Amino acid sequence: MTKKGRVFSGARPTGRQHLGNYLGAIQNYVALQEDYDCVYCIVDVHALTTVETTQELRQNTVEMALDWLAAGIRPEDSILFVQSHIPQVLELHAYLSMVTQFGKLTDLPTFKEKVRQQPENVNYGLLGYPVLMTADIVLYKTDIVPVGIDQAPHLEFAREIVRSFNYRYNTKVLIEPQVKHTEIKKVVGLDGKDKMSKSLNNHIELAATPEETTARVREMVTDPARMRRTDPGNPDVCNVYTMHKIFSSPEEVDMVNVECRRAGIGCVDCKKLLAANLNTHLQPFRARRAEFASKPEYITEVLNDGARRARVIAEKTMEEVREAIQLP
Ligand code: SF4
């Protein structure tokens, strides 16, 4: 079947993925494979801008690849690889940095935010992050980048860099990527307040055991106004109910909605039901993950093969880029 174009997306090697990653991004990655040539990159170089130690970088990369594959990324269709395995991206980053104005980079809200977050480590790579991101995208002649509405300005900046490059060297070799607006679901963590994240420890790992998952669900914050079992609750302000809407049957969702409001079901039972449904939903994923994890050489092969295929596209683009710049 003819595909509609090439999609690129990258994510930092954050190790084992959680439900928030799954519902927010991975599910979408899997679905896009039906219509697009997909290039999915584990962006380890980007990670260096913020990590203090690289001890876990390799293991985190493997864990993430395992989760992506178990979730349904098909390496025979899509290209799955590690950013640093393709040094051409660093070369392109250097050339793109020559057409990117310093003041524009320092003005970016994301850069200012990082300066606030890590004032002790405002490194050069942090400033050049959007340029490296642009290099990632355009190196693979990407047509489309799936982004949530809040990330759209980043892509607009990438498009600007491409226009500057093409204008400076009077060429059309680099393609301006188009945005594919995607509804990136914000999954709230166990605290019922913040976005699910590993650093806040309010997450549920996809690869957790059923027992661990049940224990984590038990920790979930519910309707804070429901103090006693006999108090009626309000599912509309409860994250357990939000999760039921994703993982439980319509009948169960209706039941929780009705029974919670009249104190017909307690939070303990409500959570037990959610944990059971979550474990049922994740069971096939976990079985696939365990199978892949038992063959570490398979992951190495997938990433090496992905890098080999990515390198072919990258080197072709770089030949055109060097020619356009008229490098001697
Ligand atoms: S019964 Fe369920 S939906 Fe209602 S407050 Fe408790 S956990 Fe939330």
Side-chain angles (χ1 to χ4, degrees):
M1 192 186 84
T2 316
K3 300 279 173 112
K4 292 183 194 164
R6 181 170 292 148
V7 155
F8 176 92
S9 191
R12 288 167 178 241
T14 48
R16 288 181 166 213
Q17 302 290 281
H18 55 68
L19 270 185
N21 302 130
Y22 178 65
L23 299 169
I26 304 172
Q27 263 191 343
N28 191 35
Y29 283 3
V30 173
L32 283 167
Q33 297 178 117
E34 302 312 318
D35 293 327
Y36 297 92
D37 272 333
C38 295
V39 179
Y40 293 135
C41 182
I42 299 177
V43 292
D44 55 340
V45 181
H46 282 294
L48 300 181
T49 58
T50 53
V51 296
E52 278 161 20
T53 158
T54 53
Q55 271 169 355
E56 293 176 349
L57 205 53
R58 287 183 179 161
Q59 190 55 30
N60 281 349
T61 300
V62 169
E63 297 285 354
M64 193 155 152
L66 271 172
D67 281 336
W68 284 9
L69 292 168
I73 302 285
R74 299 188 298 269
E76 60 280 14
D77 295 332
S78 301
I79 298 180
L80 173 61
F81 71 107
V82 178
Q83 185 185 26
S84 64
H85 293 180
I86 314 294
Q88 285 89 340
V89 77
L90 303 175
E91 183 187 356
L92 184 57
H93 168 247
Y95 300 149
L96 295 182
S97 69
M98 312 306 172
V99 296
T100 307
Q101 297 306 307
F102 179 78
K104 288 206 169 180
L105 290 169
T106 51
D107 272 353
L108 286 174
T110 39
F111 176 67
K112 290 179 180 165
E113 180 59 26
K114 281 282 179 243
V115 172
R116 266 194 298 276
Q117 283 171 357
Q118 52 180 67
E120 73 300 334
N121 184 18
V122 183
N123 58 71
Y124 171 66
L126 209 53
L127 182 71
Y129 192 105
V131 186
L132 182 56
M133 190 191 85
T134 306
D136 282 321
I137 297 168
V138 299
L139 185 59
Y140 304 103
K141 301 265 178 178
T142 300
D143 299 299
I144 284 158
V145 181
V147 292
I149 208 103
D150 53 334
Q151 294 163 323
H154 297 184
L155 205 70
E156 193 43 52
F157 191 71
R159 288 159 55 86
E160 239 179 72
I161 296 175
V162 169
R163 285 197 292 271
S164 298
F165 180 93
N166 284 348
Y167 180 75
R168 166 84 65 91
Y169 300 111
N170 192 24
T171 180
K172 290 183 179 152
V173 294
L174 298 186
I175 298 173
E176 270 187 58
Q178 304 298 313
V179 175
K180 179 172 170 56
H181 279 301
T182 310
E183 194 212 332
I184 308 274
K185 287 194 195 90
K186 182 185 164 196
V187 182
V188 174
L190 305 184
D191 51 16
K193 198 168 60 178
D194 293 310
K195 188 173 166 186
M196 189 174 281
S197 97
K198 211 176 199 174
S199 53
L200 293 174
N201 192 24
N202 65 357
H203 64 298
I204 299 176
E205 280 182 1
L206 296 173
T209 62
E211 295 74 26
E212 286 164 347
T213 303
T214 305
R216 290 299 259 171
V217 170
R218 220 180 287 134
E219 287 173 41
M220 286 179 77
V221 171
T222 62
D223 171 6
R226 193 174 187 199
M227 310 292 277
R228 286 175 297 264
R229 166 70 180 81
T230 47
D231 293 339
N234 178 4
D236 298 331
V237 298
C238 179
N239 194 29
V240 176
Y241 181 60
T242 308
M243 291 282 189
H244 269 301
K245 286 196 268 190
I246 304 170
F247 296 105
S248 300
S249 68
E251 295 74 27
E252 287 167 328
V253 172
D254 284 347
M255 183 277 289
V256 170
N257 189 21
V258 171
E259 296 302 328
C260 172
R261 290 177 203 278
R262 61 180 186 203
I265 185 172
C267 295
V268 173
D269 287 335
C270 188
K271 288 177 178 180
K272 270 189 198 154
L273 179 64
L274 174 63
N277 291 341
L278 199 48
N279 282 327
T280 304
H281 186 91
L282 291 175
Q283 202 280 330
F285 165 89
R286 288 169 178 159
R288 274 195 303 273
R289 193 186 201 280
E291 197 193 325
F292 292 141
S294 71
K295 300 180 285 188
E297 67 287 353
Y298 172 71
I299 303 298
T300 310
E301 265 168 39
V302 165
L303 295 177
N304 285 346
D305 181 59
R308 190 185 49 73
R309 285 150 67 205
R311 210 173 290 121
V312 171
I313 307 170
E315 190 43 39
K316 184 162 182 308
T317 305
M318 288 316 297
E319 280 169 15
E320 293 168 15
V321 164
R322 295 180 202 118
E323 185 59 33
I325 300 175
Q326 301 186 44
L327 288 170

